[in-house]
Amino acid sequence: MPTYREALRQAQQQLTQADAYEQHAQLLMLELANQNLSDLYLCYDEPMPQELYDTYCQGVKRLAKQEPLQYVLGYQWFYGNKMTVTPEVLIPRYETEELVANVLVDVDAYFEGKNPVLADIGTGSGAIAISLKREEPSLQVYATDISETALKVAQKNADDLNAEVTFYRGDLLQPLIDRGIQLDILVSNPPYIPQKQTLESSVKDYEPHVALFGGNDGLYFYRRIFEDAHKVIKEHSFLAFEIGYDEKDALLALAKEYFPQDRMTVLQDLNGKDRMLFIYHNV
């Protein structure tokens, strides 16, 4: 059997030749071997177990076809939680963790000592809703998605992580409207990529397009959420959205059409890009 070092070198060469991400060879090995980098270094010159080697080789083949590492593994770490991901759901991004963190700050600022009602619209894997519930157990959390297969993944994640989230299948806010649910907090990371924007093949060829594209201008789903938001938000509430890094001005203009009296702010991510829109409705 090849050693860990030999298997890694072979994998890196294979991915380089396929114009795939070479660094994913080591990440895959670390995850499959359940080791950190220092532990892996210590056993670099030891033979890999047969079963592990076979699994690793199969994973490398998939990576060489530009399949995302998260789908190969079947999970993604998000806000400290191991989230199951399948090709039916968008892979949770690190930028979205910042949305979760900033929502938690405002929960403390505006609803401390209360049990606010929150909904995650277009939940996908459930990453946002589940992370918020786990970090702030006082929240009553709902989540919606139009995809039944996505909701099955989200429910599995909620069950695995012991997070009490109520999932409804339906189009954006409609499940909440139908049930008369009123929100203190509305959160969403809707599809916001313009239809004609060029994407990496690992995204375009593998991730669900329904979770990526937001119409010709990228604002289709924001527009629809803004139109119906007043049917579900309480008199004192706030809305939080992840946005495309170049959509700030267009989204602020659109938001002011529907929330002309409300305070709103755009926050930057750790890379200095405009990535979050917060709308404060009478708070």
Side-chain angles (χ1 to χ4, degrees):
M1 289 300 300
T3 65
Y4 286 87
R5 186 190 304 275
E6 290 167 343
L8 177 60
R9 186 178 297 116
Q10 292 169 3
Q12 289 171 332
Q13 291 173 350
Q14 187 174 343
L15 295 184
T16 299
Q17 291 170 359
D19 199 26
Y21 291 109
E22 177 191 327
Q23 63 269 34
H24 284 179
Q26 186 176 73
L27 292 173
L28 178 65
M29 182 174 285
L30 288 170
E31 290 290 335
L32 292 179
N34 194 26
Q35 294 178 328
N36 59 40
L37 194 56
S38 58
D39 290 335
L40 182 61
Y41 281 144
L42 292 176
C43 66
Y44 251 175
D45 294 314
E46 298 176 5
M48 285 186 78
Q50 180 71 56
E51 185 176 354
L52 176 60
Y53 178 69
D54 291 343
T55 302
Y56 182 64
C57 289
Q58 289 301 315
V60 172
K61 288 181 181 178
R62 294 170 65 182
L63 292 174
K65 296 178 181 178
Q66 309 290 336
E67 186 172 352
L69 173 64
Q70 295 86 348
Y71 290 156
V72 174
L73 291 170
Y75 59 86
Q76 163 75 320
W77 289 97
F78 182 88
Y79 222 82
N81 302 309
K82 189 177 183 179
M83 298 282 180
T84 293
V85 293
T86 71
E88 286 74 36
V89 299
L90 191 73
I91 298 167
R93 265 58 173 185
Y94 298 114
E95 297 90 342
T96 309
E97 292 181 320
E98 297 185 53
L99 176 66
V100 169
N102 281 287
V103 168
L104 290 169
V105 169
D106 280 351
V107 169
D108 290 340
Y110 298 109
F111 299 106
E112 187 175 5
K114 300 179 182 179
N115 297 305
V117 181
L118 177 148
D120 173 26
I121 309 303
T123 194
S125 67
I128 292 175
I130 292 167
S131 298
L132 287 168
K133 179 63 178 179
R134 283 175 59 83
E135 292 296 317
E136 187 52 71
S138 67
L139 290 170
Q140 181 178 349
V141 180
Y142 298 95
T144 73
D145 204 287
I146 199 168
S147 168
E148 183 175 359
T149 52
L151 287 177
K152 288 180 180 178
V153 175
Q155 186 66 66
K156 180 184 187 306
N157 281 323
D159 293 342
D160 290 347
L161 293 165
N162 195 29
E164 188 177 346
V165 177
T166 301
F167 296 99
Y168 292 125
R169 184 186 179 192
D171 191 13
L172 299 176
L173 303 182
Q174 197 60 47
L176 307 178
I177 296 170
D178 292 344
R179 293 167 174 81
I181 295 172
Q182 295 290 293
L183 305 175
D184 297 289
I185 306 159
L186 187 159
V187 184
S188 185
N189 177 20
Y192 55 72
I193 299 174
Q195 198 71 42
K196 296 181 180 180
Q197 184 170 318
T198 301
L199 299 176
E200 294 181 0
S201 59
S202 62
V203 176
K204 175 176 62 69
D205 295 342
Y206 288 96
E207 298 199 59
H209 286 195
V210 67
L212 291 170
F213 295 105
N216 290 332
D217 60 359
L219 306 183
Y220 173 77
F221 291 100
Y222 297 100
R223 195 174 288 111
R224 290 192 54 207
I225 292 172
F226 291 168
E227 287 174 354
D228 285 340
H230 289 287
K231 299 176 184 177
V232 298
I233 60 173
K234 295 180 181 179
E235 182 179 358
H236 302 285
S237 54
F238 74 85
L239 303 85
F241 300 89
E242 183 169 326
I243 68 174
Y245 70 92
D246 57 352
E247 295 175 339
K248 172 183 175 180
D249 293 340
L251 266 177
L252 282 174
L254 183 63
K256 287 174 182 176
E257 293 180 21
Y258 294 94
F259 305 94
Q261 304 303 318
D262 290 339
R263 176 170 58 92
M264 52 193 70
T265 186
V266 171
L267 302 178
Q268 294 183 334
D269 63 17
L270 293 177
N271 294 316
K273 295 182 178 181
D274 298 319
R275 293 306 301 265
M276 292 157 278
L277 169 65
F278 279 66
I279 302 170
Y280 299 95
H281 185 59
N282 299 323
V283 295

